[in-house]
Amino acid sequence: AGEYEKLMVACKRNTKWSSPSIYWCPAINFAIETAMRLSEQLSLRWENLDLNKRTAFLPAEITKTKRSRTVALTDKALEVLKEIPRHISGAVFPMSLNYHNRGWRALCKRAGVHGLRWHDLRRESTSRMFEKGLSITEVQSVTGHKTLQMLADYTQHPAEILAEKLKKH
């Protein structure tokens, strides 16, 4: 509890040893909204976004499964895209994997958040999609999981939410 808020504060804070990147908070929010893998997010290019259709196209060569897919963008994901500047490289999040990994560890340390991996944001996103009522196949089309078992590994159903649903029926 409270990890998200701590990360948001930490990625905006200047310290003696580091300055905030304008991309950290947006990158975190975009990951939570889209369930993209880190490699997909870091490879995402502006030319592959259609803000009018609210989609992000992921070419096969940047996906883990080597299958292209188009990801629907939430209102929050669109807000994130509108708030960040366009980099001359064309990358939406212009960070190398090495820069990202070092920065993520430093950010978590600065936030006082322990044991959180970037991949956990993908799990959080996947769980939120189910909580919003998306079907298994709808979630699977967003996340790009090949099998139901792989998708199930990413999904968490808190007992409190399940109890509320059971109470209604």
Side-chain angles (χ1 to χ4, degrees):
E3 289 177 333
Y4 173 79
E5 292 78 11
K6 290 177 184 178
L7 287 170
M8 290 295 107
V9 169
C11 67
K12 294 175 186 170
R13 190 174 68 213
N14 246 334
T15 69
K16 179 179 175 183
W17 305 108
S18 66
S19 60
S21 166
I22 58 173
Y23 293 102
W24 276 112
C25 285
I28 292 166
N29 285 319
F30 196 77
I32 292 170
E33 291 299 314
T34 64
M36 284 185 190
R37 294 175 178 92
L38 175 59
S39 60
E40 295 167 345
Q41 190 170 336
L42 294 181
S43 297
L44 186 62
R45 302 188 54 77
W46 285 103
E47 65 213 37
N48 290 351
L49 295 171
D50 188 329
L51 300 184
N52 292 325
K53 290 183 180 178
R54 304 169 54 100
T55 59
F57 175 70
L58 303 177
E61 61 269 11
I62 72 167
T63 68
K64 181 179 176 183
T65 60
K66 302 300 180 207
R67 292 182 182 171
S68 63
R69 74 178 190 280
T70 302
V71 177
L73 300 174
T74 64
D75 289 343
K76 178 78 175 186
L78 289 170
E79 285 176 32
V80 167
L81 294 171
K82 289 175 183 172
E83 79 182 39
I84 58 175
R86 292 189 182 218
H87 193 269
I88 194 167
S89 69
V92 176
F93 297 100
M95 302 179 194
S96 68
L97 182 60
N98 187 43
Y99 174 87
H100 178 278
N101 290 340
R102 284 186 294 123
W104 177 248
R105 284 190 300 270
L107 180 62
C108 287
K109 184 175 181 180
R110 196 162 61 239
V113 173
H114 305 285
L116 183 68
R117 298 169 305 143
W118 186 266
H119 205 72
D120 294 331
L121 303 179
R122 181 166 157 83
R123 293 176 188 277
E124 175 65 20
S125 179
T126 303
S127 292
R128 287 182 182 193
M129 285 183 220
F130 280 114
E131 289 168 13
K132 289 178 182 176
L134 271 67
S135 71
I136 292 169
T137 55
E138 288 170 331
V139 173
Q140 200 170 13
S141 72
V142 173
T143 63
H145 289 103
K146 282 186 175 180
T147 67
L148 178 57
Q149 183 55 50
M150 293 170 102
L151 180 60
D153 290 343
Y154 280 75
T155 309
Q156 298 173 9
H157 299 288
E160 299 81 20
I161 292 172
L162 293 174
E164 280 301 311
K165 285 184 174 184
L166 291 170
K167 188 168 73 173
K168 293 176 186 176
H169 296 291

